[in-house]
Amino acid sequence: MEIVIASEAELARRAADEIVSLVAEKPSAVIGIATGSSPVVIYDELARRVRAGELSLAHCTAFALDEYVGLPVGHPESYVEVMHRDFSNKVDIDDSRVHAPNGAAEDLVAAAEAYEKAIADAGGVDLQLLGIGANGHIAFNEAGSPLTSRTHVEDLTERTRRDNSRFFDDDLSAVPFQGLTQGVGTIMEARKLVMIATGLNKADAVVRMIEGPVTQECSSSALQNHPNAIVLLDEDAASKLTRSR
Ligand code: F6R
């Protein structure tokens, strides 16, 4: 695991550099997209590079990590819509090339299998962007989700629902109780992982991810076993690491 501690702007540049060199080598790269607030600075940096003519994502394919279960299609906080706003709308990738698990499907098991197949048919994920939950989750893999899990329905913890209520006008009752999420096993198959974590509220989770045991109680700890993982931290998120200096 390579750990970088720098300003948020520098972290965004570093993540964008990774994507630029991947796409230079493979214009049809498969990129895994995280939603939430942490990666937005990266998408803004990618947008800047597209505008500057330094990058084109037009031939890439993107897969989201997860989606809420039960939100109506077109709900502004469904991750399909969030990806459109935060990512595809800003860069030059067509929405038809950006995929998310179908959390509105009647048969969620079939939807999970279809998503795994879509990722495999695309040749697997070349580079997966990740954020970390304040409880240590990656995607929606909460404590107890096996480290070998594939795309599945996950019950969201109270903590995750509370953390995400800020996207639902602070109305906890509006936050779905479940997500359809790539499993840790699915995520670990990506050829490169790039995690970004910023802010003091991530500091405890970051310690567990990097210095704690590898355990399904903290799904991000699986990154310790990935052969090609970069963890991008600002000073606040890194502040509880014992070896950060
Ligand atoms: C979102 C996702 C989640 C978030 C995490 C951090 O697709 O998979 O694991 O990355 O909850 O969210 P933010 O960045 O909003 O703090």
Side-chain angles (χ1 to χ4, degrees):
M1 203 189 244
E2 179 188 348
I3 299 165
V4 177
I5 304 174
S7 69
E8 193 180 43
E10 183 53 38
L11 301 177
R13 283 195 289 274
R14 174 63 201 269
D17 286 348
E18 293 291 336
I19 291 174
V20 167
S21 43
L22 168 66
V23 174
E25 222 172 85
K26 186 179 177 186
S28 62
V30 178
I31 299 172
I33 298 297
T35 49
S37 47
S38 313
V40 171
V41 282
I42 300 174
Y43 303 143
D44 288 342
E45 178 62 19
L46 292 175
R48 199 191 62 70
R49 294 183 190 209
V50 168
R51 283 195 306 272
E54 298 163 13
L55 171 69
S56 173
L57 299 176
H59 300 290
C60 293
T61 305
F63 286 92
L65 283 168
D66 43 15
E67 177 59 285
Y68 289 113
V69 168
L71 285 186
V73 173
H75 187 289
E77 290 311 322
S78 72
Y79 283 168
V80 169
E81 294 298 317
V82 173
M83 279 193 311
H84 176 69
R85 268 197 316 271
D86 288 350
F87 175 65
S88 52
N89 208 21
K90 297 176 179 173
V91 296
D92 61 343
I93 190 168
D94 195 82
D95 270 328
S96 63
R97 304 182 76 92
V98 182
H99 307 283
N102 183 3
E106 261 179 39
D107 185 343
L108 291 165
V109 172
E113 280 168 12
Y115 202 59
E116 288 280 336
K117 184 171 182 315
I119 293 172
D121 288 350
V125 173
D126 291 303
L127 184 152
Q128 177 66 57
L129 293 170
L130 294 167
I132 185 171
N135 63 1
H137 72 206
I138 48 172
F140 275 143
N141 291 282
E142 306 284 35
S145 192
L147 300 184
T148 52
S149 62
R150 313 302 306 186
T151 301
H152 63 284
V153 176
E154 180 88 19
D155 291 338
L156 305 182
T157 62
E158 178 81 3
R159 175 77 195 263
T160 295
R161 293 185 61 246
R162 277 192 192 287
D163 285 346
N164 287 7
S165 65
R166 69 192 195 280
F167 299 117
F168 292 82
D169 296 325
D170 289 322
D171 176 7
L172 183 61
S173 70
V175 184
F177 286 88
Q178 292 183 318
L180 185 58
T181 182
Q182 287 190 34
V184 182
T186 316
I187 294 167
M188 289 289 283
E189 282 175 7
R191 290 180 270 281
K192 180 174 266 193
L193 302 180
V194 178
M195 146 84 67
I196 183 164
T198 53
L200 262 187
N201 68 324
K202 299 293 173 68
D204 288 321
V206 164
V207 174
R208 291 173 66 212
M209 166 174 63
I210 295 174
E211 297 182 353
V214 175
T215 166
Q216 65 183 25
E217 295 311 303
C218 177
S219 57
S220 56
S221 66
L223 268 67
Q224 293 179 34
N225 286 339
H226 195 282
N228 200 1
I230 305 175
V231 179
L232 305 172
L233 305 172
D234 73 354
E235 294 275 352
D236 283 342
S239 59
K240 295 190 178 170
L241 289 173
T242 57
R243 291 182 291 275
S244 62
R245 302 217 185 289

